Amino acid sequence: MDFDNLFRAQLETLKSEGNYRTFAELERKRGAYPRAARHKDGEVNEITVWCSNDYLGMGQHPDVVKAMVDCVQACGTGAGGTRNISGNNHHHLLLEAELADLHGKEAALLFTSGYVSNWAALSTLGSKIPNAVILSDAGNHASMIEGVRHSRADKVIWKHNDWRDLDRKLAAVGDRPKIVAFESVYSMDGDIAPIKEIVQVAKAHGALTYIDEVHAVGMYGPHGGGVTEREGLADQIDLIEGTLGKAYGVVGGYITGSAPLCDFIRSFASGFIFTTALPPAIAAAAAASIRHLKASGFERARQQAQVAKLRAKLDRAGIPHMANDSHIIPVMIGDPVKCRMISDILMNDWGIYVQPINYPTVAKGTERLRITPSPFHSDADIDHLVTALATLWQRCAISHAVA
């Protein structure tokens, strides 16, 4: 078989459907966030990034940068191996203590990414709890879906954010061990789960509760503990999973929970056991970021203010965006080719970088621009973005209705 021809044919199909992904070559500049340098065809131009998951710009914060540099000077670069084989560093333990404190839990466990923490934790729980059933929200992230699939446990999908449907399906499962897996903030629509009702239903049926807070940690609550902290529900949830690669501006994932739960995952999860540990400097930088956001509410308040300003100006300009209570603003396009075209024009003509979100990340017909204002986007930046979108809206005659 000519494998390269097979690969080319499938890639051409992606391109014809408008779903082929192209990556911009960017270079972030410390102290200039959200500006970045764009490299293309031998030229370098400044652009403004509007789609970063470094929601609060903490990847640029002087304390975080210093912590990483100082730790590299002290410890070197890599961890030296898995946590079991020479890679268990003092900075890992300090970071796990910070994370456990952040969520009011007994323990925490680090992973190399949020994807891995979801995959490893859910697959371990589902495979090692005898006769378990995992009840997964229909909108859960690919990492959670992969973890459930890998566990080979029986699964039940409940309607997105519908705690009444969850209640019915939990009752139908009967007396088997049950794990309820859901998210707080859903990354593409930006909607927030009815956590209180979900937890009440789960507890009524004796289920273990598992929440993904990756798009909420650092962003909500008086100390950045997420939506669960903001709503006073963290103590009622068995496992809180999060990331260090979004609001905390570094990289890595984690789980928090009781000491036996975290030790159970540590002891049985292949995604933890057989993976080289995070470099100590990453752990030191993440701990510095968490400590800062535990004490400082400035970044959260400023970011929320800029989100509100952008939403109001999009409304005045007649640009449809999906309503939600989070920091994520999906501007709906509804066509993959137009979505890619608008993204390209924004970059090339306006110096605005917003990556198109097409299938399979979102369902066909719901293609969008996912905009994430930061505390460092100025009012002038917002005006420039809205002017550009309004101009393109008229040019492209977009009339897609927002659900």
Side-chain angles (χ1 to χ4, degrees), residues 88 106 109 134 153-154 176 212 246 270 294 329 340 358 385:
N88 194 52
E106 290 181 339
L109 188 66
I134 301 178
D154 289 340
R176 297 174 61 184
D212 173 321
K246 294 183 171 60
S270 62
K294 280 180 179 177
I329 305 178
R340 173 81 264 173
N358 291 346
L385 173 64

Side-chain angles (χ1 to χ4, degrees), residues 137-191:
D137 185 287
N140 278 345
H141 188 263
S143 59
M144 301 178 79
I145 295 168
E146 188 67 20
V148 173
R149 181 183 296 120
H150 187 74
S151 76
R152 298 186 180 178
D154 289 340
K155 67 178 179 181
V156 175
I157 308 300
W158 46 286
K159 294 177 184 176
H160 179 51
N161 281 345
D162 188 339
W163 57 269
R164 294 179 178 85
D165 187 52
L166 173 63
D167 189 24
R168 290 189 291 268
K169 288 177 175 173
L170 280 165
V173 168
D175 293 333
R176 297 174 61 184
K178 297 172 282 288
I179 301 163
V180 172
F182 64 109
E183 301 180 39
S184 59
V185 177
Y186 286 84
S187 62
M188 288 300 117
D189 289 353
D191 53 331

Side-chain angles (χ1 to χ4, degrees), residues 216-254:
V217 290
M219 303 295 294
Y220 302 95
H223 305 99
V227 181
T228 52
E229 184 196 27
R230 185 187 71 180
E231 298 183 5
L233 296 169
D235 64 329
Q236 299 180 43
I237 295 174
D238 296 301
L239 188 155
I240 298 176
E241 184 267 351
T243 186
L244 306 169
K246 294 183 171 60
Y248 293 123
V250 193
V251 68
Y254 65 88

Side-chain angles (χ1 to χ4, degrees), residues 39-331:
H39 295 257
K40 186 178 181 182
D41 300 330
E43 295 184 1
V44 181
N45 297 292
E46 184 181 88
I47 54 96
T48 301
V49 179
W50 277 98
C51 54
S52 176
N53 282 345
D54 186 359
Y55 294 131
L56 300 177
M58 291 302 294
Q60 308 278 312
H61 194 281
D63 292 349
V64 178
V65 173
K66 184 177 186 300
M68 183 177 288
V69 171
D70 288 350
C71 191
V72 167
Q73 294 291 348
C75 299
T77 53
T82 66
R83 293 283 291 275
N84 184 52
I85 303 176
S86 78
N88 194 52
N89 190 276
H90 179 58
H91 291 282
H92 296 138
L93 302 181
L94 292 176
L95 175 54
E96 287 172 341
E98 285 286 354
L99 290 164
D101 177 74
L102 176 67
H103 295 293
K105 300 298 185 186
E106 290 181 339
L109 188 66
L110 284 174
F111 293 85
T112 51
S113 73
Y115 191 105
V116 173
S117 57
N118 266 331
W119 170 80
L122 279 168
S123 64
T124 302
L125 291 170
S127 63
K128 291 297 184 180
I129 297 175
N131 202 31
V133 180
I134 301 178
L135 295 99
S136 180
D137 185 287
N140 278 345
H141 188 263
S143 59
M144 301 178 79
I145 295 168
E146 188 67 20
V148 173
R149 181 183 296 120
H150 187 74
S151 76
R152 298 186 180 178
D154 289 340
K155 67 178 179 181
V156 175
I157 308 300
W158 46 286
K159 294 177 184 176
H160 179 51
N161 281 345
D162 188 339
W163 57 269
R164 294 179 178 85
D165 187 52
L166 173 63
D167 189 24
R168 290 189 291 268
K169 288 177 175 173
L170 280 165
V173 168
D175 293 333
R176 297 174 61 184
K178 297 172 282 288
I179 301 163
V180 172
F182 64 109
E183 301 180 39
S184 59
V185 177
Y186 286 84
S187 62
M188 288 300 117
D189 289 353
D191 53 331
I192 297 177
I195 300 172
K196 181 179 179 181
E197 291 80 2
I198 291 170
V199 170
Q200 287 176 340
V201 165
K203 293 302 180 186
H205 291 275
L208 182 147
T209 47
Y210 181 116
I211 191 168
D212 173 321
E213 284 255 52
V214 297
H215 291 277
V217 290
M219 303 295 294
Y220 302 95
H223 305 99
V227 181
T228 52
E229 184 196 27
R230 185 187 71 180
E231 298 183 5
L233 296 169
D235 64 329
Q236 299 180 43
I237 295 174
D238 296 301
L239 188 155
I240 298 176
E241 184 267 351
T243 186
L244 306 169
K246 294 183 171 60
Y248 293 123
V250 193
V251 68
Y254 65 88
I255 62 167
T256 64
S258 70
L261 187 155
C262 290
D263 196 19
F264 180 79
I265 302 297
R266 182 190 70 88
S267 299
F268 291 108
S270 62
F272 175 83
I273 295 169
F274 299 107
T275 300
T276 297
L278 287 172
I282 295 292
S289 184
I290 293 165
R291 285 194 295 269
H292 177 84
L293 289 175
K294 280 180 179 177
S296 172
F298 166 78
E299 291 83 1
R300 287 187 286 275
R302 168 72 177 174
Q303 196 260 2
Q304 290 165 11
Q306 297 310 88
V307 168
K309 287 177 185 176
L310 178 55
R311 284 191 181 279
K313 291 185 177 183
L314 290 173
D315 286 338
R316 286 197 290 272
I319 297 169
H321 56 98
M322 190 173 287
N324 62 53
D325 294 323
S326 78
H327 56 284
I328 296 166
I329 305 178
V331 171

